[in-house]
Amino acid sequence: MPATWTRRLVAAGLAAGLLAAAAGCGSGDDAADGDITLTVGLFGDFGFGPLYEEYERDNPGIQIEERIAEFADHHTNLTQRLATGSGAADIEAVEVGFISQFTAVPNRFHNLLDHGAGDLEGRWLDWKWQQALSQDGAELIGLGTDVGGMAMCYRTDLFEEAGLPTDRDEVSALWIDSWGDYVETGKDYLAATDDDSYFFESAGNMFRAMIEQAPVGVYDTDNTLLVEDNPVVSDAWETTVEAIEAGMSNRLTAWTPEWTAAFGQGTFATIICPAWMTAYIEGNAPDAAGLWDVAAVPGGAGNMGGAHLTLPAQGDHPEEAYAFIEWLTEPEQQLRVFQETGNFPSTPELYDDPALTEFSKEYFNDAPIGEIFTDAAQQVQPQYQGPLQGDVLATIGQGLGRIEDGSQSPAEAWAQVLSDVESLA
């Protein structure tokens, strides 16, 4: 999410090719002077820039070249480059929604267990480590960067104008029991505000948050697609549709320029808020310092987002690339990234470190975001991620988008969602 903001998703402004590197080429070593250039493919700015400079300084002969693409393009391109055997960077980030898609083809990545990663297993949350293992557990394709335990960010000024409480504990109490209470709060908000103010920005994010909180989401552990059969999915759909029909959604597509601009325009009052989103809010609404705060998310704990760093098998410098990502995911570096960008560490040894737990930001009304997101990460119960998890959630989000733009009724959108997800298999 800019140097000071987040990534994950990141927006069009960071579009493909933003940074250097000739897209499409693999490793870029300079044989003439013996230096090695490690290419790093990311979906947005992970806030690694200062760490690159430090690593290059401490490791003469290593240069690091970053390539940033938009979220969906990044994963689509990586899939294509793995299939064709060329074009991938030495190091490629994979978001949690896509990791199972790639652990299903571990032969297309270097097995990090062969490089000694097994000795580091205790560095990460157990479920974070498990996410990057092949189904038989024999191969590990990535090292974890961050996790996305959720909270709810909200605009205190807009809440005050609507006659709602602004204290973060009082705001949490409005909806702590259920997403239904969140929708009811949204109705109260709309009743007290004008037509140009919305309760949230995108229905897709609301839906995804509810799914990520469930013990079982869109797949079971046998990789059976459960979109039609899991009542959690249909309940989340219906709750989201209720919010759309009440007029709460700003009807924005996440990660588009319009969605990005809306932060600065202040057109919506709440947003699902994994830690990485805080940096994104701050980066896109620099004039809103002190107006945002952080409350509890409805419905309990859940993980939304987070990434792993992988080494595609086509890379030319696996030893150097592994040494770099091992260093980059050390607790010290993860803490620095959190303090700079908001991406929350996946290394539990930090969860007792005051440098993390006592961290707060003036921008968020001095909310104790270190404590909030530590609690959120520790409460996460891991959910099985199916092979096309990211694509399935995106397809459902597109269906909700068709309701938002009025092109389909809820029934028509749901029918197309079921048809579209079946065609993914």
Side-chain angles (χ1 to χ4, degrees), residues 62-77:
I62 298 292
Q63 297 179 359
I64 299 162
E65 185 176 273
E66 187 179 66
R67 307 169 179 176
I68 297 180
E70 189 272 333
F71 180 72
D73 289 345
H74 170 84
H75 292 95
T76 299
N77 292 340

Side-chain angles (χ1 to χ4, degrees), residues 139-395:
E139 296 175 79
L140 181 79
I141 71 163
L143 300 184
T145 56
D146 61 314
V147 292
M150 292 184 286
M152 182 70 76
C153 291
Y154 66 100
R155 285 278 299 249
T156 57
D157 56 331
L158 299 182
F159 267 50
E160 183 174 13
E161 291 173 14
L164 295 171
T166 59
D167 174 81
R168 66 182 69 96
D169 292 333
E170 294 180 28
V171 171
S172 298
L174 291 173
W175 53 57
I176 193 64
D177 291 334
S178 72
W179 282 97
D181 288 342
Y182 174 75
V183 172
E184 292 304 313
T185 303
K187 292 177 180 176
D188 292 341
Y189 177 84
L190 293 181
T193 54
D194 60 37
D195 293 340
D196 296 326
S197 188
Y198 302 92
F199 196 50
F200 59 81
E201 30 66 83
S202 169
N205 281 341
M206 177 181 170
F207 173 84
R208 180 174 176 181
M210 285 186 274
I211 295 302
E212 301 289 10
Q213 292 171 326
V216 179
V218 295
Y219 280 97
D220 66 16
T221 54
D222 293 326
N223 289 332
T224 301
L225 197 58
L226 298 176
V227 173
E228 186 171 13
D229 300 323
N230 186 352
V232 168
V233 178
S234 54
D235 288 349
W237 173 272
E238 290 170 4
T239 301
T240 307
V241 168
E242 179 183 358
I244 294 171
E245 292 183 325
M248 295 180 203
S249 174
N250 204 165
R251 303 185 301 277
L252 299 167
T253 300
W255 329 133
T256 61
E258 294 78 12
W259 181 83
T260 301
F263 287 91
Q265 296 162 352
T267 57
F268 59 88
T270 68
I271 186 169
I272 310 301
C273 205
W276 48 261
M277 186 65 83
T278 62
Y280 199 66
I281 294 170
E282 186 174 357
N284 284 304
D287 296 333
L291 300 181
W292 284 93
D293 209 317
V294 186
V297 68
N303 182 74
M304 185 170 169
H308 292 80
L309 297 177
T310 68
L311 308 184
Q314 62 193 256
D316 292 333
H317 307 294
E319 291 184 9
E320 293 82 0
Y322 177 76
F324 176 54
I325 65 171
E326 180 184 325
W327 177 84
L328 197 59
T329 57
E330 287 178 353
E332 178 181 352
Q333 275 63 258
Q334 292 206 35
L335 176 61
R336 293 163 65 187
V337 169
F338 170 69
Q339 292 172 332
E340 181 65 23
T341 73
N343 298 342
F344 193 78
S346 55
T347 52
E349 78 171 65
L350 289 172
Y351 297 170
D352 295 323
D353 187 337
L356 179 77
T357 59
E358 297 178 6
F359 187 78
S360 63
K361 273 202 169 183
E362 184 176 357
Y363 182 93
F364 287 93
N365 200 23
D366 291 321
I369 60 175
E371 177 185 352
I372 290 170
F373 289 114
T374 297
D375 290 345
Q378 290 178 315
Q379 292 174 22
V380 167
Q381 296 297 312
Q383 180 193 97
Y384 179 74
Q385 304 285 298
L388 295 174
Q389 183 94 8
D391 290 329
V392 170
L393 292 175
T395 298

Side-chain angles (χ1 to χ4, degrees), residues 28-77:
D29 56 321
D30 184 349
D33 59 14
D35 287 349
I36 290 174
T37 298
L38 297 176
T39 50
V40 181
L42 305 176
F43 47 94
D45 186 352
F46 279 51
F48 289 160
L51 299 177
Y52 295 156
E53 296 175 7
E54 180 178 325
Y55 194 81
E56 289 172 337
R57 184 176 63 248
D58 294 343
N59 295 272
I62 298 292
Q63 297 179 359
I64 299 162
E65 185 176 273
E66 187 179 66
R67 307 169 179 176
I68 297 180
E70 189 272 333
F71 180 72
D73 289 345
H74 170 84
H75 292 95
T76 299
N77 292 340

